[in-house]
Amino acid sequence: MNETTPIADALAAAAAASPYDEMVTGGGQIRFHWQAIMGALRTLPPGALAERMERARRQYDENGVTYNVFADAAGAARPWQFDLIPLPIPADEWEEIEVALAKRATLLDRVLADLYGPQNLLKERLLPPALVHANPGFLRPCHGIVPANGAPFVHFYAADLARGEDGKWRVCADRVNAPSGAGYALENRNVLMRTLPELFQAGHVRRLGPFFELWQSALAALAPRHRENPRIVLLTPGPYSETYFEHVYLARQLGLTLAEGADLTVREGKCYLKTLGGLQQVDVILRRMDADYCDPVELRAESAIGVAGLLDAVRAGNVTVANALGAGAVETPAIMPFLPGLARRLLDDDLDMPSIETWWLGQSAVFADVAKRIEDYVIRPAFAGDPEPATVGATLDARRRAALVERIAERPWRYVAQARLRRSSMPVWTPTGLQPRTTMVRAFLVRHEGGYVPMPGGMTRVGNDEDGVDISMQRGGASKDTWVVVREPQTTVVGLRASAGREPLRRSSGELQSRVADNLFWLGRYAERLDDTARLMRACLMRAPAGDVSAREVAEFQALMRMLAARGAVERRAGGLPDSRAMMEALATACGPDQGISHLFQAIQRIAPTVRDRLSADMWKVVNDLLRDARLRLEGRPGDVDWLFEGVDHVISVCAAFHGMASENMTRGSGWRFLDLGRRIERASYATAMVRDVLAAAGAQGGEAWLRLMLELADSSITYRTRYMAAIQLAPVVDLVVCDETNPRSIGYQLQTVAHHLDALPQRASRPLSLPEQKVARGVLSAIELFDVERLSSLVDREATAALDGLMVSTAARLADLSEAITRAYFSHVTTVRSIGYETMASPDGAV
């Protein structure tokens, strides 16, 4: 296959590594459903798999696919770990898995309905009361709440499956609180199709896309009202969530609004989304936040990411939360030994797939038996949120085993014992060849029309060693695509909801959250500030003292350094250093980590993820390029002037690409307007400061050189040369840089664009007159338009330049006032008004 370990050696290693290998039989023969995959891999030229792995890594990197582990020093934005070789499962075997998991999901849903309802299972002693009441996942305030509109407690279910040495599948964990992984599974499939299309040409694999279409339809059916066009949001903890990428990905895939707790509010028992058009009632919340964090009023008081009063809105039946608040009560291994009896009681049937053998140690007889043979078990916490790791009894000496038993005896209800399952293995690619790794599959099901429909595939995870107790992405595991292999191509038909009415056409939307508008505004500002700073640095580097330089170039270089120092791009003291060479040393080291310009990268890196769902995939690639490649080029070699020059050029190019993508790819809605508003206000602020700085540097010297510098910094040199053939003069330069509303770099153009955006933003019927931010914008624009440019004769005319300087001072102050007025007008909510179709809310003065 390539220069690494031959396939024959890999097969022998796999056959010997595990009691059950997914790819080969005990006799070393490739299983039938693997033959097409291995046949396709054999056709690849030497080194191809390594090249394809690198290509996949780049795609994940460009798409910003991460799994964040913030407790790890290297965890933030940790790249997604992926292996190219998929796990194929025959269709007939997968059908058995589907049936078994659908029955299990139904059982858990009915258990929850009883626990939060009549609690007959506790009365009949089918579940120990201590197991339920000691479980932090059982939320007492949710008792008595029935999901609105007959919605299930478990809308979306995931199960972690492992195959034992007998070849049979077992459930190792139930995921019902806020199951993750479905979005990663779809992204794995998409990347594999682009990276190794040969594999898909060799076999027939069921598609994943129809499952997400069905999920979208199932969510809409949960709405207690407005069922033809319900408002559905995906509730996320925000960018610091481990799986934030998936939250953004699913929101896009399912057509949902991505919302943080701060984006929602509850008024009079109804949940609303804060938007620029007012507060709009929410019908369904797809919850990707732990339930106890969702409401700081009735659940976890210290939660800063929840929605105050959400439980009250759920109790009133005005919003459906999926999965239901409190569903985590059954996400505990402690319930596993009781599930067979619960199935006979609630389903009048037996489960089709067993759980991994588990014993809850809250029962004294069970604990006494386990304590005698602690070395035979894996001991792990019984309830979610307990940070204590699993302990393998066989790895402990006698003293440590005794200490473990003593620790369990203090609070035995907090622990379970499980049999140590020897999981099946499958091959993973490594630089030294195919190597066997233990395997676990996460399968996903969604409730639809009274039953559970599975995803025809899933997310396979492999350990980072040959035999780990737990397999997880947090501990460095890798993921794989999971195939359901059929013998013939299949056409999947998804039964979507039929709409009884006709949707009115819309060309705008007021559903942009205030928080998102704020973040887009500042993303625009920081991206423009980075661009402006990079242009200043480039101008400075072009005049860097090297060899024979004129006194004028030295003066310009020193003036530019003072400008950079005033903007914080270099140390403040750099602007006052005694000579140019000392200034150059300060500039060369200004781009190291935690230096001046790095703070702008950090600001963009902090804000960009919060608006990722508003940026196209191509636009996000540009952001990634800016934050990774461009930043690395700039910061990679502090002190290297040539490297710095190349890095600054690349930053300018990527910033131009970002602004171009925004111009071409974003619809002209409120999101684009706020992004561009930030950009225009920042550019105008930069231009006013630049004009003042050049005037101050020119002083009594005058001369064309300073006017040329002003044109260069305003990126308007070519325009000036095409308009004016004579020598450079002050009045035409100022007209072009300050007043000309046809020049996209002029202050006048920025202010005219700002005024246009403000006129187009959502407004209140109660405020028909000009809003404060509009008045400020029009006032400063009028001052620019009315300025008598022709009175400017030369830089040595102190009266004329003083008037220009005064205009720049007043413009800078009013730009700051404008930014503050926009913040006050669009980033808060207070009281209620009504609009056609949905209730909305706004403050008396129109703030939202």
Side-chain angles (χ1 to χ4, degrees), residues 596-839:
I597 200 169
S598 293
H599 295 304
L600 293 176
F601 284 112
Q602 292 166 11
I604 295 172
Q605 190 163 29
R606 184 177 65 252
I607 290 177
T610 68
V611 295
R612 179 169 179 172
D613 59 313
R614 298 284 170 172
L615 307 179
S616 69
D618 288 335
M619 199 168 177
W620 186 255
K621 289 180 181 179
V622 175
V623 173
N624 259 339
D625 188 7
L626 182 66
L627 294 177
R628 296 185 182 183
D629 186 45
R631 185 176 183 178
L632 179 63
R633 291 195 191 194
L634 201 60
E635 299 178 353
R637 300 179 188 174
D640 187 328
V641 176
D642 292 335
W643 179 270
L644 180 60
F645 205 117
E646 181 183 335
V648 166
D649 259 347
H650 189 63
V651 168
I652 294 171
S653 298
V654 177
C655 286
F658 175 78
H659 296 316
M661 281 286 185
S663 177
E664 293 297 321
N665 287 26
M666 295 182 74
T667 56
R668 295 322 191 236
S670 299
W672 170 75
R673 293 193 186 282
F674 275 99
L675 181 69
D676 204 53
L677 269 172
R679 177 190 177 193
R680 299 301 171 186
I681 291 175
E682 187 64 36
R683 182 173 290 183
S685 300
Y686 160 78
T688 56
M690 180 271 293
V691 170
R692 289 198 69 208
D693 290 338
V694 172
L695 291 177
Q701 302 175 42
E704 292 184 5
W706 295 103
L707 296 178
R708 291 183 189 278
L709 179 60
M710 187 181 297
L711 288 172
E712 178 186 340
L713 296 178
D715 199 16
S716 300
S717 300
I718 295 176
T719 304
Y720 188 91
R721 286 200 301 269
T722 58
R723 288 187 185 179
Y724 306 101
M725 309 303 285
I728 294 179
Q729 298 177 5
L730 178 60
V733 169
V734 172
D735 179 64
L736 182 61
V737 172
V738 176
C739 303
D740 187 351
E741 294 176 1
T742 67
N743 177 15
R745 286 280 172 178
S746 76
I747 298 173
Y749 181 90
Q750 314 312 316
L751 295 172
Q752 184 186 59
T753 305
V754 166
H756 175 70
H757 285 327
L758 293 176
D759 289 343
L761 287 174
Q763 300 183 34
R764 302 294 172 273
S766 60
R767 298 177 60 185
L769 302 179
S770 294
L771 306 177
E773 64 275 13
Q774 290 175 309
K775 292 179 180 178
V776 175
R778 289 171 184 164
V780 68
L781 177 59
S782 296
I784 295 292
E785 291 173 336
L786 295 174
F787 182 73
D788 185 6
V789 180
E790 293 184 352
R791 67 185 288 193
L792 300 173
S793 58
S794 70
L795 286 172
V796 296
D797 183 348
R798 304 315 302 160
E799 182 179 352
T801 55
L804 177 59
D805 186 70
L807 176 65
M808 295 298 96
V809 171
S810 64
T811 299
R814 299 184 81 175
L815 284 170
D817 293 340
L818 177 59
S819 181
E820 181 62 27
I822 291 172
T823 299
R824 288 196 304 269
Y826 291 100
F827 307 146
S828 63
H829 291 261
V830 187
T831 59
T832 304
V833 297
R834 290 187 181 272
S835 67
I836 297 173
Y838 284 93
E839 289 95 350

Side-chain angles (χ1 to χ4, degrees), residues 62 69 140 150 156 234 246 256 328 380 392 464 517 542 672 674 797:
E62 290 173 359
V69 186
R140 290 170 177 77
F156 188 67
L234 189 152
E246 186 185 40
L256 311 181
R380 63 175 72 247
V392 181
N464 56 0
M542 291 173 65
W672 170 75
F674 275 99
D797 183 348

